[in-house]
Amino acid sequence: MTARRSAWIESLLDANANAIAIAAERLGTGDPATLLPEESAIAHRWAPKRIAEFAAGRECARLAMQALGLPPQPMPPQPDRRPRWPEGLTGSITHCQGFAAAAVARTGALRSLGIDAELVGALEPDLWPRILGDEEQQWLARQPSPQQRLWATVIFSAKEAWYKCQNPLTGWFLEFHEARIHVQNDPGGQGEALFDLLVESRGIRLPGRGGVREGVICTAFTWRE
Ligand SMILES: CC(C)(COP(=O)(O)OP(=O)(O)OC[C@H]1O[C@@H](n2cnc3c(N)ncnc32)[C@H](O)[C@@H]1OP(=O)(O)O)[C@@H](O)C(=O)NCCC(=O)NCCS
């Protein structure tokens, strides 16, 4: 398996980005041989599983950069784990078991973006009170019980995507209860379910989008102005 352009994740980013972000995704285990020297110099001490997911994310990011017409460039992690994007670019990387993705955009087009992928149902019910606020838990309780674990994980994923979108711009470290996620509409989906999201966090309201495909949830936020 190698990385490929992701129409799915681009459709999640289109919610408020007008197709100005490019996304790529990859199934399977990442190949450490695809890392560039500046990246492997940092990663070589890590456990093999961590190196593989790191490589899978970088491979996706480089494919997306190539689609923007850019040559392969390193994206070493900064001390806080944020990728160092090449000058003039912003982006986001995510991985969960068997899946990795990245999205990039020119900073002239988007100030920031955040994407997050989770396996459906990954958020165990005993963690819900830590991750979800009162209103989110009340909303969840109104959903059909077989779907509650899915929606709890969607909200968790959206908080992670929002964190990755805002942190490079604001420097904020947010607690989970400092963001409230609204799931705006659920088409009740046959196949690829797509839904609109809204995050409210420290006075900011930003639309986003989420989707579920083949057991993977992905959520995305873009910050334009
Ligand atoms: C950073 C964090 C969001 C990553 O999410 P995750 O679901 O654990 O893991 P993912 O695979 O989806 O994403 C990991 C990628 O996020 C990116 N990332 C890490 N820190 C980041 C930051 N501060 N800003 C933007 N992106 C970041 C990296 O590219 C990382 O992959 P890499 O290390 O291979 O490069 C999460 O671990 C974290 O620390 N969260 C802080 C607390 C929080 O989320 N609060 C919720 C606020 S509402």
Side-chain angles (χ1 to χ4, degrees):
M1 293 281 179
T2 51
R4 61 187 166 104
R5 186 100 175 246
S6 177
W8 180 44
I9 294 175
E10 287 176 11
S11 76
L12 305 181
L13 292 159
D14 283 353
N16 56 354
N18 250 345
I20 45 185
I22 306 266
E25 64 177 72
R26 188 190 197 290
L27 298 177
T29 308
D31 178 2
T34 61
L35 290 172
L36 296 181
E38 199 180 334
E39 295 161 344
S40 34
I42 294 169
H44 78 277
R45 288 181 229 98
W46 301 346
K49 185 167 176 275
R50 173 70 183 113
I51 298 175
E53 69 173 22
F54 180 74
R58 263 51 189 182
E59 191 188 325
C60 293
R62 267 187 278 279
L63 184 84
M65 283 162 57
Q66 188 186 11
L68 277 178
L70 298 167
Q73 294 174 66
M75 289 149 275
Q78 306 198 65
D80 64 358
R81 264 189 76 188
R82 241 179 331 134
R84 195 193 74 208
W85 295 100
E87 189 65 31
L89 274 193
T90 184
S92 183
I93 293 173
T94 186
H95 20 64
C96 59
Q97 195 174 351
F99 181 83
V104 298
R106 293 185 191 274
T107 47
L110 276 186
R111 288 187 69 197
S112 186
L113 63 91
I115 63 170
D116 186 79
E118 304 289 338
L119 296 184
V120 167
L123 190 70
E124 306 272 354
D126 59 336
L127 288 173
W128 295 0
R130 214 190 116 212
I131 305 296
L132 312 178
D134 290 345
E135 290 174 66
E136 290 162 336
Q137 291 190 59
Q138 285 157 14
W139 177 84
L140 194 63
R142 293 196 296 275
Q143 307 312 308
S145 45
Q147 288 173 25
Q148 287 180 1
R149 204 155 154 168
L150 164 75
W151 290 120
T153 310
V154 165
I155 294 173
F156 170 62
S157 174
K159 290 188 182 200
E160 298 278 55
W162 163 239
Y163 184 84
K164 291 186 217 174
C165 180
Q166 63 76 32
N167 178 262
L169 288 184
T170 63
W172 294 340
F173 176 84
L174 296 173
E175 301 294 341
F176 283 100
H177 287 202
E178 288 187 276
R180 178 161 176 221
I181 303 294
H182 303 262
V183 181
Q184 303 282 54
N185 64 306
D186 161 30
Q190 313 265 319
E192 291 192 352
L194 291 180
F195 35 87
D196 292 325
L197 300 168
L198 179 73
V199 60
E200 287 182 286
S201 185
R202 294 201 182 178
I204 295 169
R205 286 164 62 89
L206 205 68
R209 192 174 276 178
V212 183
R213 192 198 63 187
E214 293 165 11
V216 176
I217 292 166
C218 190
T219 58
F221 288 100
T222 53
W223 190 323
R224 299 198 77 160
E225 282 121 40

